[in-house]
Amino acid sequence: MNTSDTIFALSSGGLPSGVAVIRLSGPASGQAIQSLCGRVPPERRASLQSIRDRNGEKLDDGLILFFPAPNSFTGEDCAELQIHGGRATVKAVLAALEDMEGLRAAEAGEFSRRAFLNGRMDLVEVEGLADLIAAETEMQRRLAAEQASGGLSKLYDSWAKRLTHARAMIEAELDFADEDDIPGSVASQIWHDMQKLDQEILNHIAEARTGEIVRDGLKVVIVGEPNAGKSSLLNYLAKRDVAIVTDVPGTTRDVLHADLDLAGFAVRLYDTAGLRKTDDIVEREGIRRTQSSMAEAHLVLLLSAAHKPDWHEFVQGYEVPVLRVQTKADSRDASWPKSDADVIISARTGEGIPELLDLLSLHLPDLEAGGALALPTRQRHALNLTMAREQILLALGSAESGLDVQAEYLRLAGQALGRVTGRVDVENLLDVIFSEFCIGK
C-alpha cells in the first residue's frame, strides 16, 4: 500500500442512486479535477461543472468540491465529485480516473487509514466511524457517534496527560533536586492522583460488558426440549420465517439467529437445537453448539411446553441469567397446574409476548437518556486498559525500589494507554517539566 498514491473510490454506497459521490485523496487530487473538469473550483465551495474523459467526451454534469491539505478528512488534498448515480455513469467516471497516471482505486478502509496516519483521527475515532456506518439502532448510533467525535479519546488523553505529569514530577525530583525552586519530595504529591486514576480505569473497564451489549447487541439464546416452540417464537419475534417449524422433534440442527430493535438496543436472538439424548450424530453436534451458545449468552430463554417443566435440568452448570418461558398458552386448559414460569406465551396468538419483551428489557443496560456513552467497546480496549492499570499498581507498590523504577512503570502504563488510541510515546517530558518549574531561568 503506497501512501503517496492518489486514491479514489465510490463512497456513497449501492447503485443506482439519485446521487453518487466519488472521493479522491492524495497529491494529484487537484490535477485529476483539472483534467476532468478543466479547472479546480475554489476550495470548499461546490461548483457545477461538466466532467469529460481524456478524449473530451462528456460523461456527466456534477458538483465538484476541492479540500486542500491539511484541512480535509484524510489530511491530504481531497476532492469529491457528486454525480448522477447511474451504474454506467459512475463506471465511466471511475474508468476516466483509473486512466490517469498516479491514480489508483482505494483499498478497503484506506481513506480512514490515511486520516489516522496523518493525525486527523486516532484509532478509537476510526473504530467509532466504522461503527457509526454500521449502526442499526439508536443506542448503537449514540455509542458510535461518541467515539467518532472523539469523546472517548478525550477521556483516554486526559489519563495519558496525568501519567505524563506524574512522570515529569518524578524526573524533576531525580534530575533537578539541587535547584532552589524545586520543592522537596515533589513526586510524593502525585501518588494520590495515581491511586485515583487506578480506580477510574478500573470503573471504566467494568463497563466493557455494557459497551459490548450496546455495540454488538444483547445475546439471547433460546433453549429447551424439542418441540418446545423455540423456532416458532424466533419467527414470531423476527416477523419472518427464519427457522423451519414442524411437529418432528429435532428439526433445528444448527444455531439460527434474528436481530431485534428493543428500546433502541440491538437484541440478537439465537434459536438452537432441542436439548435431549439422541444417537443422531448431526443432532448431537447441534446440541453441542446449543450448549456452547448458552455459555456465551447474556441471557437464556428457557422454553418448555410441558405441564410440569424441570427447569433446573436444562440450565444446571451455566452461570447466566435465565427466563423461564412456558409456551403454547393457547392449548392450556383449567386442568393444567399453576406454572412457576416467569411468563406464559403463545407464538400462535401472541399472548404473553409483550410481557416477555418487558422482561427482556430489564436485562438491557440502564443508560441515562442523553448522557455521554464513553464506554470501551472492543476487547483490545479492555486488554490495554487492564495492562495500563497493572503498571500503575506496580508503580504504586514499588516505593522501596526507587523513583526511577516507579517512573518506568508509569512509562509502560502510558504506553499501554497509548496503544488504545494509537498514540504511543508522543509525550515530551521536558516540556512539562519546564512549563511547571522555573529551572534555568
Side-chain angles (χ1 to χ4, degrees):
M1 182 185 297
N2 190 341
T3 56
S4 65
D5 293 340
T6 295
I7 56 175
F8 63 88
L10 175 68
S11 62
S12 54
L15 301 174
S17 60
V19 175
V21 178
I22 296 175
R23 173 184 286 176
L24 296 87
S25 180
S29 296
Q31 182 181 342
I33 296 301
Q34 179 75 35
S35 299
L36 286 174
C37 306
R39 67 183 181 87
V40 179
E43 59 187 58
R44 291 178 181 76
R45 292 184 61 183
S47 175
L48 179 62
Q49 296 179 212
S50 295
I51 302 169
R52 300 178 184 274
D53 63 16
R54 65 189 308 173
N55 298 317
E57 180 181 349
K58 183 175 179 178
L59 304 179
D60 197 13
D61 291 322
L63 290 177
I64 314 301
L65 296 102
F66 179 67
F67 305 92
N71 299 315
S72 67
F73 173 71
T74 63
E76 304 173 327
D77 284 352
C78 285
E80 284 188 6
L81 293 84
Q82 300 180 11
I83 61 176
H84 295 98
R87 288 190 175 90
T89 301
V90 172
K91 183 179 179 180
V93 175
L94 292 175
L97 290 169
E98 193 168 11
D99 199 33
M100 295 181 186
E101 187 176 350
L103 269 68
R104 63 172 173 83
E107 299 178 15
E110 192 169 1
F111 284 92
S112 296
R113 184 186 184 93
R114 291 191 176 196
F116 167 69
L117 293 175
N118 292 322
R120 299 295 294 175
M121 307 175 74
D122 63 30
L123 288 182
V124 175
E125 291 169 332
V126 169
E127 290 168 336
L129 178 60
D131 289 345
L132 187 60
I133 293 171
E136 295 182 350
T137 69
E138 173 60 16
M139 296 310 296
Q140 286 175 333
R141 182 200 65 78
R142 283 182 53 196
L143 180 67
E146 179 78 11
Q147 287 190 221
S149 63
L152 190 55
S153 299
K154 290 177 183 176
L155 175 64
Y156 296 155
D157 287 343
S158 71
W159 289 347
K161 288 178 181 177
R162 287 162 68 181
L163 285 169
T164 300
H165 178 266
R167 288 178 58 201
M169 297 301 99
I170 293 173
E171 294 290 344
E173 183 161 337
L174 288 173
D175 297 340
F176 304 104
D178 294 335
E179 294 289 337
D180 293 337
D181 46 359
I182 299 294
S185 301
V186 172
S188 64
Q189 302 173 18
I190 56 93
W191 296 118
H192 178 65
D193 185 55
M194 290 299 96
Q195 290 174 338
K196 288 177 57 180
L197 179 57
D198 168 60
Q199 187 61 48
E200 289 174 27
I201 296 177
L202 177 62
N203 294 341
H204 186 69
I205 294 172
E207 296 179 321
R209 182 179 180 275
T210 299
E212 174 192 346
I213 291 175
V214 175
R215 177 178 179 267
D216 299 325
L218 184 74
K219 185 175 181 180
V220 180
V221 176
I222 306 172
V223 302
E225 72 269 20
N227 275 353
K230 301 183 295 297
S231 297
S232 296
L233 175 60
L234 182 74
N235 290 343
Y236 184 93
L237 294 175
K239 296 181 172 58
R240 58 189 175 91
D241 291 336
V242 179
I244 299 173
V245 177
T246 72
D247 293 330
V248 179
T251 303
T252 300
R253 303 296 184 92
D254 207 346
V255 178
L256 307 175
H257 75 266
D259 294 335
L260 304 179
D261 184 340
L262 185 60
F265 289 89
V267 175
R268 175 157 286 192
L269 291 166
Y270 292 84
D271 179 25
T272 61
L275 298 173
R276 66 171 179 172
K277 294 182 179 180
T278 177
D279 294 327
D280 187 308
I281 188 170
V282 178
E283 190 175 356
R284 283 166 58 188
E285 173 61 18
I287 292 172
R288 186 196 67 79
R289 296 186 183 188
T290 296
Q291 294 168 337
S292 177
S293 297
M294 290 172 64
E296 299 172 358
H298 296 124
L299 176 66
V300 167
L301 297 187
L302 178 55
L303 270 59
S304 178
H307 286 212
K308 295 182 177 180
D310 184 359
W311 304 107
H312 180 70
E313 175 187 356
F314 295 104
V315 294
Q316 57 183 336
Y318 294 95
E319 295 182 2
V320 58
V322 176
L323 283 181
R324 298 167 299 178
V325 183
Q326 188 103 39
T327 59
K328 304 182 181 180
D330 53 299
S331 63
R332 291 169 58 90
D333 56 43
S335 65
W336 278 48
K338 184 177 180 181
S339 176
D340 58 351
D342 296 305
V343 63
I344 302 174
I345 67 167
S346 169
R348 185 188 301 273
T349 67
E351 179 185 344
I353 298 296
E355 290 79 4
L356 174 61
L357 294 178
D358 287 342
L359 291 174
L360 276 176
S361 298
L362 296 178
H363 292 269
L364 295 172
D366 184 15
L367 301 176
E368 182 181 351
L373 291 180
L375 305 172
T377 59
R378 284 171 166 77
Q379 186 179 23
R380 75 168 194 90
H381 297 177
L383 289 175
N384 283 302
L385 290 167
T386 299
M387 189 176 300
R389 180 172 176 264
E390 289 173 351
Q391 299 300 326
I392 293 172
L393 288 173
L394 286 171
L396 289 168
S398 302
E400 295 181 358
S401 299
L403 287 175
D404 53 345
V405 174
Q406 291 179 291
E408 175 61 13
Y409 283 133
L410 293 184
R411 185 189 71 82
L412 294 174
Q415 197 171 57
L417 191 58
R419 280 194 290 269
V420 181
T421 59
R423 298 170 181 159
V424 181
D425 289 335
V426 296
E427 66 270 12
N428 187 327
L429 290 179
L430 288 180
D431 284 348
V432 178
I433 293 171
F434 283 104
S435 69
E436 299 207 9
F437 300 97
C438 301
I439 300 170
K441 62 183 177 183

